[in-house]
Amino acid sequence: MVSLILAGKSIMLTKDIRAIDILAKAVELGSLRQAALAKGVTSQAASQALAQLEDSLGVRLLHRTTRSLSLTEEGRQLLEATQPALAVLDRALTRARQAKDEIAGPLRIVGPRSAFTPVLWPIIDEYCQRFPDVQPEVQLNDNMGDWVLDRVDVGFRFGSPPAEGVIARPLFRAQLIICASPAYLRTHGVPRSLEELAYHRCSVFRHPGTDAIFPWYVNMGGEIQTREFPPTVATNSTDIEVEATLTGQVIAQLSSLSAAALIREGRLVPLLTEHVASHLHLYAYYGSRKAQPLRVRKFIELAVERLTDNRELTLTTDELLTYSAERLNKSP
C-alpha cells in the first residue's frame, strides 16, 4: 500500500513539473501554442496539463485570451519559487546526458583471480593508456555475486554463462593442461598414463570462495571426465600452484592462461596431451547495450577485440605435441 501511495505521488509530481515547465515556456514565448511546439506536445495536451495543475492547486495561474496571456499573482509567485529548482534539475539532466558520452569516470570491473594478471590486466592497462580519465575499480572474485547490487559495469568469469539478466559474450576456451618442469621429470620420471599419476607428486586447487577441491578435468576421447589424485600440495592460489610446478615440487593441471607462455619458454612440459580439456569458456558479461556509458562500451569493445580466440593464451594441438615431444626427448 505504501509503495502504491509513493508511486502515485511520484506520478503527480512528474505531471506538476511538466506543467510548470510548460507554464514557464508559455510566459517566455507569449503563447501556449508556441510553448507546446517547443516542448514537443500538442496544444491540447499543454492546455490540459496547465488546467490540471490549476485544478490541483485551486488557483488560476494564467490570464488567457485568444491573443495574449499573462501570469496571475499566484502564477508569478509559483514560477519565482520553482524556477531555481527547475534550473538545477535541467542542468543535472543535461550533465547526465553528456556523461553518457564521456570516456571518463569510474569503471567497475569484476574478474576471477586466476585470470587477472595474464588476461585482464593487459586489457585494463591498454585501455587506461588510451583513456587516462577513466578510473578502473577492479574486484577479484571467483564467485558470480550480484552484479546489479555490486554496481558492476563489466564482469568476466569462466564456466557456464552468467545468470539471466545480463548479456554474456563468450571470448575463448581456456585449456587445462597437465604440466611438469624439466627438473621434476629428471628426478621423478615421466608419467605415461593417467593411472601412473597416482604414483606422482600432484597438486590440487581449492576454490578460494568455498574451499572445495577441484578435481582434474580430462578429455577422454571427446568426453570430459574428472580424476582425483592424492595431493602433495593443495592451495587456493594459482600463483603458488604455478611456482610449485616450476620449482619441480609437483605435477599440476594448469590453465593455459598461466601455462601457455611458460611452455613456449621451455620452463614447463605438457604431459599426456591427448587428455587436454578445453571446455571452459571465458565470458564477458554486462548489462543493457542501450544504457551503457561510452567508457563502458569502449572497454567491452577492446576486451572483445583482444580476447576473442586469443592464441597467446592457448596452445594449438601441434604446439602441444611439439613441445611435449621435444622436451620429453631431452629428459633422461
Side-chain angles (χ1 to χ4, degrees):
M1 179 62 72
V2 173
S3 61
L4 290 176
I5 293 173
L6 292 176
K9 287 183 177 180
S10 176
I11 293 172
M12 291 176 61
L13 181 60
T14 301
K15 289 182 177 180
D16 290 346
I17 292 174
R18 187 180 299 116
I20 294 171
D21 195 29
I22 291 172
L23 174 64
K25 184 60 69 173
V27 172
E28 176 189 341
L29 300 177
S31 165
L32 188 58
R33 185 175 65 85
Q34 292 298 321
L37 287 173
K39 294 300 178 181
V41 298
T42 65
S43 297
Q44 181 181 2
S47 180
Q48 184 178 9
L50 190 55
Q52 288 176 345
L53 178 61
E54 289 177 328
D55 288 344
S56 68
L57 296 175
V59 296
R60 191 170 182 80
L61 302 174
L62 275 180
H63 295 302
R64 284 171 279 180
T65 69
T66 56
R67 295 186 177 182
S68 64
L69 57 80
S70 62
L71 284 169
T72 65
E73 179 60 22
E74 292 78 13
R76 183 188 64 77
Q77 292 178 2
L78 178 65
L79 286 187
E80 286 182 355
T82 57
Q83 283 308 290
L86 290 175
V88 171
L89 176 61
D90 184 64
R91 287 195 297 270
L93 293 173
T94 300
R95 176 71 184 121
R97 294 188 190 98
Q98 292 174 344
K100 181 178 183 297
D101 296 323
E102 288 181 351
I103 308 182
L107 178 66
R108 297 177 179 87
I109 304 166
V110 171
R113 288 178 171 84
S114 59
F116 177 72
T117 300
V119 179
L120 298 183
W121 178 247
I123 307 300
I124 296 172
D125 182 50
E126 181 179 352
Y127 180 80
C128 289
Q129 290 184 37
R130 291 188 187 183
F131 308 112
D133 292 329
V134 174
Q135 299 93 40
E137 298 180 11
V138 181
Q139 286 188 346
L140 301 185
N141 192 336
D142 291 297
N143 296 320
M144 177 62 178
D146 189 318
W147 77 278
V148 175
L149 294 179
D150 295 338
R151 298 179 300 143
V152 175
D153 290 316
V154 188
F156 299 87
R157 69 171 294 185
F158 284 104
S160 57
E164 294 182 3
V166 296
I167 298 167
R169 175 71 180 262
L171 298 175
F172 68 91
R173 291 178 184 269
Q175 297 163 305
L176 297 177
I177 306 171
I178 300 172
C179 302
S181 70
Y184 178 95
L185 298 177
R186 286 193 295 269
T187 302
H188 301 284
V190 179
R192 302 296 178 180
S193 68
L194 292 175
E195 288 70 27
E196 287 188 23
L197 287 173
Y199 304 101
H200 280 265
R201 298 169 57 86
C202 297
S203 75
V204 296
F205 186 78
R206 289 187 180 275
H207 192 287
T210 65
D211 206 37
I213 291 179
F214 277 104
W216 287 18
Y217 291 89
V218 294
N219 184 345
M220 302 296 292
E223 178 184 352
I224 301 299
Q225 297 182 6
T226 61
R227 293 288 189 275
E228 295 183 6
F229 303 101
T232 299
V233 172
T235 179
N236 63 359
S237 166
T238 54
D239 292 339
I240 290 177
E241 190 170 37
V242 170
E243 282 302 312
T245 311
L246 285 171
T247 56
Q249 290 294 326
V250 293
I251 292 177
Q253 186 177 58
L254 302 177
S255 164
S256 58
L257 310 181
S258 303
L262 297 172
I263 290 173
R264 291 184 176 116
E265 293 168 5
R267 300 177 65 191
L268 291 178
V269 180
L271 305 172
L272 306 171
T273 55
E274 68 274 21
H275 298 300
V276 168
S278 56
H279 62 293
L280 296 178
H281 261 115
L282 177 67
Y283 288 89
Y285 64 93
Y286 43 89
S288 169
R289 291 186 178 93
K290 294 182 180 179
Q292 284 171 356
L294 188 58
R295 66 182 182 277
V296 177
R297 190 162 68 250
K298 288 295 184 182
F299 181 77
I300 293 171
E301 289 173 358
L302 179 63
V304 170
E305 178 184 349
R306 292 288 181 265
L307 295 179
T308 299
D309 297 328
N310 188 305
R311 293 303 179 188
E312 293 183 7
L313 301 172
T314 57
L315 295 163
T316 66
T317 301
D318 287 343
E319 283 183 301
L320 286 167
L321 292 174
T322 299
Y323 291 129
S324 175
E326 286 180 354
R327 278 126 203 196
L328 288 178
N329 288 338
K330 293 178 183 178
S331 300

